[in-house]
Amino acid sequence: QSNTTELFLVNVISKGDSLSFSTPVNITNHEGYDNQPVFSSDSKRILYISMPDTIQTDIFEYNISDSTRKQLTLTDESEYSPLFSPDNNHISFVRIDVDKGQRIYQTTLEFDEPIPVNHIIDSTAYYNWISDSTLAIAFLNNGMELMIYEMNEGQYVVIDKGIGRCILKIPGSSDLVYTKKADDKMSLMRYSAETGAAIAYCEGLGDVEDYFF
């Protein structure tokens, strides 16, 4: 992978059965690593990860209305994977702590002092919210395992093993879609939060791991 990555903003215009796209706008314009963008629910803000130096990554915000950027974290640790919580009142992220543990933290929209979401799991790779109190977490354990973590009970259940890095929540549903690789073939699986079961969703595209709704 390239050491220099940029984020571009593109307007998608739907008219009838056709789609058109505006000219891409570079919203980072920074010599270095910029990645993992996520929109706020009102589509006014974009959170993303940037490496302002060669030491660690921090969380930045891009304001779409006035095209301004703001650095939200300035820590000795690295932060990754920012997400807005389902209630849109909090922001979560993965931090690599001093002890090298990779834990999920949560803070307010104003970025007050963050608190750890999961004390038990210190090897989080990727995650996504199912509800205000339930997370799907890909954690490192001889590869990656998918687990469902209930914050209120402090309990977790392992759902699948050997998963990929993509964990998506299906819009308007509490179900998840995640990637799974076996015999050099990528598949997409669907997990039902209601039944607790995972079934085949569809075949993947070659070895592609990244999808979105």
Side-chain angles (χ1 to χ4, degrees):
Q1 294 185 1
S2 172
N3 291 326
T4 296
T5 55
E6 300 283 6
L7 298 180
F8 289 83
L9 185 64
V10 181
N11 288 322
V12 181
I13 304 164
S14 176
K15 188 175 182 179
D17 295 330
S18 65
L19 294 176
S20 60
F21 304 90
S22 67
T23 301
V25 176
N26 188 332
I27 67 172
T28 49
N29 198 25
H30 162 244
E31 187 72 21
Y33 181 81
D34 303 289
N35 214 324
Q36 301 181 336
V38 59
F39 284 92
S40 60
S41 61
D42 59 8
S43 297
K44 294 181 179 180
R45 307 166 65 191
I46 298 174
L47 300 181
Y48 65 94
I49 297 302
S50 183
M51 185 174 285
D53 48 39
T54 59
I55 301 174
Q56 87 288 323
T57 55
D58 286 297
I59 300 174
F60 285 70
E61 174 189 276
Y62 178 81
N63 189 307
I64 297 176
S65 62
D66 60 10
S67 304
T68 57
R69 291 181 293 269
K70 180 169 65 174
Q71 185 168 352
L72 299 180
T73 63
L74 181 58
T75 63
D76 294 332
E77 300 82 21
S78 285
E79 287 87 24
Y80 294 95
S81 304
L83 288 177
F84 290 94
S85 62
D87 62 8
N88 294 306
N89 291 326
H90 298 87
I91 292 171
S92 57
F93 56 88
V94 174
R95 171 177 287 171
I96 302 180
D97 288 325
V98 176
D99 64 358
K100 305 303 181 184
Q102 298 178 196
R103 301 178 178 91
I104 301 174
Y105 285 79
Q106 184 171 267
T107 183
T108 63
L109 298 179
E110 292 74 29
F111 259 79
D112 295 326
E113 184 65 25
I115 59 174
V117 170
N118 56 332
H119 298 274
I120 301 172
I121 301 302
D122 62 0
S123 53
T124 297
Y126 305 93
Y127 73 103
N128 207 337
W129 290 93
I130 296 178
S131 70
D132 292 338
S133 60
T134 307
L135 294 113
I137 302 175
F139 70 103
L140 301 169
N141 184 20
N142 295 322
M144 282 201 295
E145 296 183 347
L146 175 65
M147 78 169 192
I148 304 301
Y149 179 71
E150 296 285 350
M151 293 173 56
N152 294 336
E153 291 80 13
Q155 298 178 343
Y156 66 91
V157 177
V158 176
I159 302 300
D160 207 342
K161 300 182 179 182
I163 71 166
R165 60 177 174 249
C166 189
I167 305 176
L168 300 172
K169 183 178 179 181
I170 298 178
S173 167
S174 60
D175 288 5
L176 295 172
V177 169
Y178 62 93
T179 52
K180 185 178 177 69
K181 188 174 184 178
D183 300 326
D184 295 326
K185 180 181 178 181
M186 190 67 65
S187 299
L188 275 71
M189 304 292 293
R190 179 169 182 163
Y191 166 78
S192 170
E194 182 177 345
T195 65
I199 60 173
Y201 185 58
C202 66
E203 290 187 7
L205 300 174
D207 59 355
V208 175
E209 283 197 50
D210 300 301
Y211 298 85
F212 66 93
F213 287 108

